[in-house]
Amino acid sequence: MINALVVYGTRYGATADTSEVIAGVLRQEGFEVRVVDAKKDKVQSISEFGLVIVGSGIKMGKWTKEPEKFLGKYQKELSKKNVALFVCCGSAKPLTEGEEKIREMENGKRKYLEDKAVQYNLNLIALGFFGGIFDFNKLSWIMKKTLSGVKPKLEEAGFKESKSDIYDLRNLVTIRNWAKDVAQMVK
Ligand SMILES: Cc1cc2nc3c(=O)[nH]c(=O)nc-3n(C[C@H](O)[C@H](O)[C@H](O)COP(=O)(O)O)c2cc1C
């Protein structure tokens, strides 16, 4: 049996839930999986893991701190392992149209994933570029004010509230298929 580690950092919950979805698929595929919220728990060693997946949510163009610390700490060991990165972010589901939409997606993918792979010298087996969650209940009043234009744009783009003031822009089928592909590559 292959041991897999999923390490993530989240602010609003999308990356935590996505990590559990990925872990669920890997378990179905026969992996033994440990999921770690890097903010709450420290990984002491990665020697037993044949697959390491690292994920983060994006806020103001930035990953969460802790998964980046993990990448820095284990950079050398990770270079010899099967490693995949994923992010949950708005740029994967831009509210713009046409060329601007394509540009936003390309920029996001490069900045949040490809640049990280270069920065930490990772030889990745997969990059997951997934949508995020806008949970307006979790925002401070100043953020609510700053992002007040987003809600009508989400509605305009056809996104519906999954619960009151929560918009989930992820596609769970895409995420599950990605996890299945990763499992096949490692098996
Ligand atoms: C205050 C705020 C700032 C954000 N900034 C960005 C950003 O710079 N780029 C982006 O692609 N998405 C951005 N988003 C969308 C988030 O990436 C999305 O909410 C995602 O779910 C965050 O991951 P998390 O839920 O795991 O924290 C932002 C969302 C909020 C609420």
Side-chain angles (χ1 to χ4, degrees):
M1 189 180 283
I2 302 170
N3 287 325
L5 173 68
V6 182
V7 181
Y8 71 87
T10 188
R11 300 178 182 95
Y12 303 109
T15 313
D17 185 68
T18 302
S19 295
E20 293 298 344
V21 171
I22 292 168
V25 171
L26 293 176
R27 287 184 187 115
Q28 275 170 7
E29 295 288 323
F31 287 70
E32 175 77 36
V33 189
R34 181 174 169 212
V35 181
V36 173
D37 177 346
K39 234 178 230 174
K40 295 185 182 154
D41 209 354
K42 275 240 154 58
V43 177
Q44 301 298 353
S45 160
I46 62 166
S47 59
E48 78 247 47
F49 299 106
L51 167 65
V52 180
I53 300 179
V54 184
S56 180
I58 303 295
K59 182 181 177 188
M60 305 294 183
K62 290 210 162 22
W63 272 48
T64 45
K65 277 201 299 280
E66 295 79 6
E68 283 229 47
K69 270 194 199 149
F70 172 85
L71 290 176
K73 181 174 176 189
Y74 291 108
Q75 183 171 336
K76 221 174 172 180
E77 264 182 278
L78 287 171
S79 68
K80 291 174 225 132
K81 285 187 186 286
N82 294 307
V83 182
L85 299 184
F86 76 92
V87 287
C88 290
C89 65
S91 303
K93 290 281 171 72
L95 299 173
T96 44
E97 288 299 331
E99 278 185 23
E100 205 185 327
K101 183 173 184 155
I102 294 166
R103 210 177 314 120
E104 203 177 333
M105 288 177 79
E106 283 174 354
N107 285 345
K109 206 167 185 183
R110 193 189 59 247
K111 186 172 167 193
Y112 305 143
L113 290 167
E114 290 162 4
D115 287 359
K116 293 291 166 209
V118 173
Q119 185 181 345
Y120 294 101
N121 204 19
L122 299 168
N123 201 359
L124 298 176
I125 58 166
L127 297 170
F129 189 51
F130 307 132
I133 293 176
F134 281 96
D135 184 347
F136 292 94
N137 304 297
K138 288 187 181 164
L139 301 182
S140 62
W141 73 268
I142 186 88
M143 267 305 166
K144 263 186 201 155
K145 212 171 161 198
T146 312
L147 296 183
S148 61
V150 173
K151 211 170 156 179
K153 275 193 190 160
L154 286 166
E155 292 281 345
E156 221 173 276
F159 293 108
K160 300 267 169 273
E161 285 172 305
S162 51
K163 285 185 196 151
S164 175
D165 268 348
I166 301 175
Y167 293 79
D168 188 346
L169 280 62
R170 296 171 307 151
N171 182 330
L172 292 179
V173 174
T174 304
I175 293 166
R176 286 196 193 102
N177 286 339
W178 181 84
K180 252 186 210 166
D181 287 347
V182 168
Q184 292 310 318
M185 277 186 260
V186 176
K187 270 201 225 174

